[in-house]
Amino acid sequence: MFARKPKRCAMTSNTEREAFVWIWLPGETEPVVAGRLESDNGNILFNYGKSYLDRIGDSNPAITIYEPELPLKAGLIPLPEGLTMPGCIRDAAPDAWGRRVIINKKLGIKGAGTDTAELDELTYLLDSGSDRIGALDFQRSPTEYVPRTVNNVSMEELIQSAERVEKGVPLTPELDQALFHGSSIGGARPKALIQDHGKKYVAKFSSITDLYSVVKAEFIAMRLAELAGLNVAPVKLAKAANKDVLLIERFDRVPKGDKWARKAMVSALTLFRLDDMMARYASYETLSEIIRHRFTNPKATLKELFSRLVFNILCGNTDDHARNHAAFWNGKALTLTPAYDICPQGRTGNEASQAMLISGDNNLSQLKTCLETAHNFLLSEEEACQTFGNLTAAIEQHWDAVCEEAGLNEVDKRLLWRRQFLNPYSVEPKGTDL
């Protein structure tokens, strides 16, 4: 049983004791069972199945779900210190939004104030959609894989579903199915998964609490990042029910005929061996060290990550926490994924701080903070300053065109410019030769 706050007796029916982990091996379009999760006194423990371990010598052998956390060996694998479940498994679980959808589905009540501890972690794994980020899924059976998917539904239905969940109104059976497919993905904002013209997307919707066009602001930031030369997920805007929808092309899926191969991923939080409660200790310095030792093409990767850090500061994205950085995992090495969730955050004053530490205990959203840590990214001060200048120039050069592309109104444009984007606090005092 999970160690949770005492609940009324009826809640015991919502507790799961075990789940089987299925994995898509590299290049494959069908999953195989990898092992079993079990609830043990508040912890979730994993052990590989014998059939999976026996694949080690096959033409397409077993890979670790993530090493060093879950090495290929028999028996229950001890948890890293401080964790109650393996981080690479938690990466495949739904976050705030998906949990609210599942609570709505199972309990038929609750809204924005719902306590997600209402249900246990295995329930969230087993009751969320199967098309989750990465290459894992979870089943109640070790022998039969039954995907929890639904047919494509209209964007209007998805938006209507999202609004009902935000208000705490129970979903109708039809709307329940419309939103369920996206319940396995992370983040706190309303979203869903869709497929269109042979591509898969994460669809992000506006929220009833938005004070400005957050969807368009994220589109603008992602497009400017792409135009500035960063490796980012492709995005486009759509309209449904007279509302804006941001479509982010998924980079963890590879089409193979009429099926899809899946790319395994782990979050930076897992690389740090931290859980969500300890995320405040995550730092760019530590991530740069991990990249130097464990990533493919480390020098180019460090330059890319430094550029993303700088761009986050220049566009006002202070939500750069460790779940918003990720790496592909092929069983042997890590490779940085394209950037995602570059979303300018609401800001009343000038002073701001990033979600991850930048230089020592300093996380102030300023270029001079980045300059202090440039050596950790194997960059000289001159190279760091050149990055500052290039990214700033790209934002200034493409700002008007991208805002026009987004159809941003003048009020929101004035709200974002020099407040989120190129805020004076971020670039001054420069300590640089911008």
Side-chain angles (χ1 to χ4, degrees):
M1 297 287 287
F2 282 89
R4 297 177 291 144
K5 296 178 182 178
K7 303 291 178 186
R8 57 188 182 275
C9 292
M11 288 302 299
T12 56
S13 62
N14 291 314
T15 300
E16 299 282 354
R17 297 297 304 243
E18 69 175 10
F20 294 91
V21 181
W22 290 66
I23 187 172
W24 278 254
L25 291 170
E28 297 295 326
T29 58
E30 300 293 339
V32 296
V33 66
R36 175 177 176 267
L37 294 168
E38 67 176 64
S39 171
D40 178 40
N41 195 31
N43 294 324
I44 296 179
L45 302 177
F46 175 81
N47 68 283
Y48 286 105
K50 184 178 183 300
S51 64
Y52 190 70
L53 294 174
D54 286 345
R55 297 180 61 95
I56 291 177
D58 288 2
S59 57
N60 194 1
I63 65 170
T64 63
I65 294 177
Y66 172 61
E67 198 166 8
E69 192 172 53
L70 294 179
L72 279 177
K73 65 178 184 180
L76 286 174
I77 299 174
L79 290 167
E81 185 177 357
L83 299 188
T84 58
M85 67 186 297
C88 56
I89 300 296
R90 176 63 182 85
D91 284 339
D95 277 342
W97 173 253
R99 289 170 190 244
R100 286 173 62 185
V101 174
I102 292 167
I103 285 172
N104 189 301
K105 177 184 173 71
K106 292 186 73 69
L107 305 184
I109 54 174
K110 312 294 185 187
T114 298
D115 179 5
T116 55
E118 287 277 1
L119 304 175
D120 60 89
E121 288 294 337
L122 289 182
T123 296
Y124 285 123
L125 292 176
L126 288 166
D127 284 359
S128 49
S130 289
D131 198 13
R132 65 191 70 244
I133 302 300
L136 300 180
D137 194 23
F138 305 92
Q139 299 277 310
R140 291 179 172 86
S141 169
T143 56
E144 183 183 13
Y145 179 77
V146 182
R148 298 178 297 281
T149 57
V150 297
N151 294 327
N152 262 358
V153 295
S154 72
M155 208 84 76
E156 287 80 3
E157 288 176 297
L158 291 171
I159 289 172
Q160 188 179 352
S161 302
E163 289 178 346
R164 291 175 72 95
V165 168
E166 284 198 286
K167 294 174 181 176
V169 179
L171 294 170
T172 64
E174 294 77 20
L175 294 182
D176 179 345
Q177 288 302 305
L179 206 58
F180 169 72
H181 190 41
S183 62
S184 56
I185 50 180
R189 292 185 58 79
K191 59 178 67 70
L193 297 173
I194 67 168
Q195 183 171 330
D196 183 51
H197 291 92
K199 294 183 178 180
K200 285 180 177 277
Y201 297 94
V202 175
K204 288 189 176 182
F205 312 123
S206 59
S207 169
I208 57 178
T209 61
D210 287 346
L211 299 178
Y212 63 96
S213 183
V214 175
V215 166
K216 286 185 176 180
E218 182 170 350
F219 170 82
I220 289 167
M222 292 286 285
R223 284 286 291 123
L224 287 172
E226 180 184 18
L227 291 168
L230 299 185
N231 178 20
V232 302
V235 294
K236 63 181 182 179
L237 280 175
K239 202 89 169 177
N242 204 32
K243 292 194 173 183
D244 297 307
V245 181
L246 176 65
L247 300 178
I248 306 104
E249 189 175 332
R250 293 183 63 173
F251 46 72
D252 62 334
R253 294 292 183 267
V254 180
K256 295 191 74 173
D258 60 350
K259 295 186 177 181
W260 297 86
R262 304 191 179 193
K263 302 184 75 170
M265 286 172 51
V266 289
S267 71
L269 199 63
T270 293
L271 302 183
F272 294 141
R273 300 193 185 193
L274 297 174
D275 65 9
D276 293 279
M277 298 298 292
M278 304 294 285
R280 64 186 180 277
Y281 297 112
S283 77
Y284 281 97
E285 286 184 332
T286 303
L287 185 52
S288 68
E289 182 179 356
I290 294 171
I291 288 172
R292 290 196 300 272
H293 290 96
R294 301 194 57 207
F295 273 61
T296 57
N297 203 2
K299 187 170 178 58
T301 301
L302 287 168
K303 183 177 181 181
E304 171 72 18
L305 182 63
F306 185 80
S307 297
R308 293 184 189 183
L309 164 60
V310 172
F311 189 86
N312 281 332
I313 288 174
L314 292 177
C315 79
N317 176 32
T318 55
D319 194 35
D320 56 339
H321 57 77
R323 285 204 183 283
N324 280 344
H325 299 280
F328 296 122
W329 168 250
N330 65 5
K332 297 178 181 178
L334 297 157
T335 302
L336 194 67
T337 71
Y340 55 96
D341 280 358
I342 304 177
C343 185
Q345 302 298 300
R347 192 166 180 162
T348 52
N350 285 329
E351 186 170 333
S353 56
Q354 298 304 117
M356 292 207 325
L357 299 171
I358 300 171
S359 177
D361 293 330
N362 185 354
N363 67 338
L364 294 179
S365 306
Q366 294 185 297
L367 296 186
K368 65 178 184 180
T369 314
C370 299
L371 196 61
E372 293 173 6
T373 196
H375 65 279
N376 289 301
F377 294 83
L378 305 183
L379 296 172
S380 66
E381 285 195 7
E382 181 181 355
E383 289 171 319
C385 291
Q386 186 176 26
T387 298
F388 301 161
N390 290 344
L391 294 179
T392 301
I395 292 172
E396 292 175 336
Q397 177 186 347
H398 298 291
W399 171 253
D400 288 331
V402 173
C403 287
E404 185 176 346
E405 184 183 348
L408 191 69
N409 63 51
E410 284 299 320
V411 173
D412 281 350
K413 189 175 177 181
R414 287 195 298 269
L415 178 72
L416 293 174
W417 188 245
R418 303 295 182 189
R419 186 173 299 183
Q420 275 88 346
F421 289 86
L422 302 187
N423 187 290
Y425 176 80
S426 300
V427 298
E428 298 174 359
K430 303 181 183 69
T432 67
D433 296 321
L434 282 181

